[in-house]
Amino acid sequence: QIKSPVRGDVAESDRGVDKGVTPPALRATSPDRGGKLVSPVRGDVAESDRGVDKGVEKGGNMRTGAIICEYNPLHNGHIFQIEETKKAGITHLLGILSGDFVQRGDVALLNKFSRAESAIKAGMDLVIELPMPYSCSSAERYAEGAIKLLQRLSCVEVLSFGCSGNLEDLQFLSETESEGNLQELLKTGMNYPSAVAQIIKERYGTEIENLLQDANNLLAIEYLRAIRKQHAPFQVMTVKRNIPHDSRNCSETIASGSFIRECFNKGENYRNYVPAYTETLLNTTPTAQFSNLERIILYQIRKMTEQEFLHLPDMNDSLSGRFRKACQENSLEKFLHEVKTKCVTMARIRRILLYALTDIRKEDFRKEIPYARILAFNRKGTEILSQIRKSSIPCGTSLAHFRGISAETDRFLQIATRTADVYGLAQENISGAEADFRRKISLSK
């Protein structure tokens, strides 16, 4: 048996979760549990009658919460999460916002500064960037990078995230080992997410497996797993999401970010789903599209050697061969079609292409984010900053501020510069080089 790194109590088996343990969804309403959820971090009983696990105690002075986000773009569902998080007793709210490249291997529709300013208008107090390569990576790496950054900031007590599943079930899955016959399933041509879902279904049934169909739940599981692995001292709370991540279903005022982006790109009405300031930004700010990078992507992959391909994260010998064979195609669409297989997701392929454009290598994921880059803040945000400055991580609004601190910071600055330059080429109106270094951040009202 092992001890939980967060709570110190005995876990259910020596591998995290015993295969014979009944999944929480099938026992959550048993008489001895009273139908309540238990916080996976501190063991506080948390009620969930309003979609928020209210295990966050009210009262006291400053109580800082955090939300890990992309806001691509910021919509009414995001505002609901911010409001519900504050209702739970959070006095100050920090956002860890993905930079210009986002988790599923795409460019953000709006630049990170515009999205950060929207977050402040929506109720956040301080926004700090989650930079490349972590902002554009698998769910596991994305969560690990964000949680490590939050730990280094040393100011956060509560992490809030949205999901459609209940907290106890997600905690159960975060502790479940899925190796089993994973390699055998992958050899059949099944991709990694599908293989994991198949194993979960065989062990615990369809009800638990269905939780893995929502990308929000997958990220929630990775947050919980990263918190446990890193012994992060966060309490967690969840806000119920009724619209899945990529769903085309919507209510009168709530829709998924992907549906809103689709409406925007087609010139269809989306105004019911976003605040007025998001609509204004989309109408007045240069937007970016992955397809605008077609020529530079084709040029980059045509000139790369076999060894250069193999240095890229998420790349292996077999996939490298497919990349090199397809690189002679005359369009990005044809290239993606030639490389795509049942066991390789499109998000993975797009991420690899962005790694190639920004010269990101496998070893870059072994480095922790060495600084905290401020994207936006208000007066309450300065109170959070006063706490962060007591920690060990350098913090500032200007990238130039971090030059020469260490080899790690210089490497991340190199990646940041290339990321900004490539993102500028993805915008409808191409921006100048090194724009990230010239951007000035001021106090938001």
Side-chain angles (χ1 to χ4, degrees), residues 68 94-97 128-131 134 142-156 230 234 368-373 388 391 393-394:
I68 302 166
L94 163 69
I96 298 297
L97 180 74
I128 287 176
E129 180 181 4
L130 179 66
Y134 289 100
Y142 177 88
E144 285 185 355
I147 297 299
K148 282 182 181 178
L149 179 56
L150 283 174
Q151 280 230 80
R152 292 200 66 191
L153 295 175
S154 302
C155 66
V156 173
Q230 299 177 34
F234 308 144
E368 290 189 7
I369 299 169
Y371 54 75
R373 204 285 175 81
I388 293 174
S391 67
I393 188 168

Side-chain angles (χ1 to χ4, degrees), residues 197-430:
Q198 179 67 26
I199 292 171
I200 295 298
K201 181 178 180 180
E202 290 173 356
R203 284 190 195 169
Y204 308 117
T206 302
E207 186 176 357
I208 291 294
E209 184 264 338
N210 283 342
L211 292 173
L212 302 180
Q213 304 307 312
D214 184 354
N216 294 306
N217 289 340
L218 292 175
L219 272 177
I221 290 166
E222 293 302 338
Y223 293 148
L224 294 169
R225 188 171 286 145
I227 287 171
R228 189 178 70 255
K229 279 177 61 177
Q230 299 177 34
H231 300 206
F234 308 144
Q235 187 177 358
V236 302
M237 60 172 286
T238 64
V239 177
K240 188 75 170 179
R241 291 191 64 159
N242 295 316
I243 305 294
H245 186 274
D246 287 327
S247 177
R248 301 190 88 260
N249 298 323
C250 50
S251 67
E252 289 185 7
T253 59
I254 303 292
S256 68
S258 58
F259 180 73
I260 294 168
R261 291 193 299 275
E262 181 181 336
C263 289
F264 173 80
N265 290 330
K266 291 181 176 179
E268 297 175 358
N269 184 26
Y270 58 87
R271 64 171 53 188
N272 289 344
Y273 312 122
V274 300
Y277 46 84
T278 293
E279 183 183 6
T280 298
L281 279 172
L282 289 171
N283 289 331
T284 61
T285 305
T287 56
Q289 301 289 344
F290 189 84
S291 58
N292 290 338
L293 297 175
E294 178 177 53
R295 290 174 182 266
I296 188 176
I297 286 174
L298 293 176
Y299 168 73
Q300 178 67 22
I301 59 177
R302 286 178 182 181
K303 75 182 186 70
M304 290 179 68
T305 66
E306 180 180 2
Q307 281 303 113
E308 286 172 332
F309 274 117
L310 291 173
H311 283 308
L312 297 174
D314 295 338
M315 183 65 82
N316 56 37
D317 289 333
S318 174
L319 190 54
S320 171
R322 297 188 68 84
F323 266 66
R324 286 183 286 114
K325 182 179 178 180
C327 70
Q328 300 305 318
E329 296 292 344
N330 64 358
S331 74
L332 182 58
E333 182 180 1
K334 290 180 181 178
F335 171 86
L336 294 172
H337 176 77
E338 287 299 312
V339 175
K340 177 78 175 70
T341 67
K342 287 194 299 182
C343 62
V344 180
T345 64
M346 193 62 75
R348 178 180 174 184
I349 298 170
R350 290 196 304 262
R351 285 195 294 260
I352 292 173
L353 291 174
L354 292 175
Y355 297 153
L357 289 181
T358 52
D359 190 30
I360 289 172
R361 304 156 201 156
K362 290 177 179 176
E363 59 265 26
D364 289 319
F365 277 108
R366 294 195 284 269
K367 301 179 177 72
E368 290 189 7
I369 299 169
Y371 54 75
R373 204 285 175 81
I374 300 166
L375 298 179
F377 64 104
N378 60 20
R379 294 200 179 279
K380 288 180 73 175
T382 62
E383 296 172 7
I384 305 176
L385 287 171
S386 67
Q387 289 191 327
I388 293 174
R389 291 193 173 103
K390 298 175 185 176
S391 67
S392 61
I393 188 168
C395 181
T397 59
S398 170
L399 286 180
H401 174 76
F402 307 122
R403 276 184 174 142
I405 293 177
S406 67
E408 287 75 19
T409 58
D410 287 344
R411 174 58 182 159
F412 267 79
L413 290 176
Q414 186 181 57
I415 293 172
T417 302
R418 289 174 176 160
T419 298
D421 288 348
V422 172
Y423 183 78
L425 298 176
Q427 291 178 312
E428 297 298 331
N429 299 319
I430 296 175

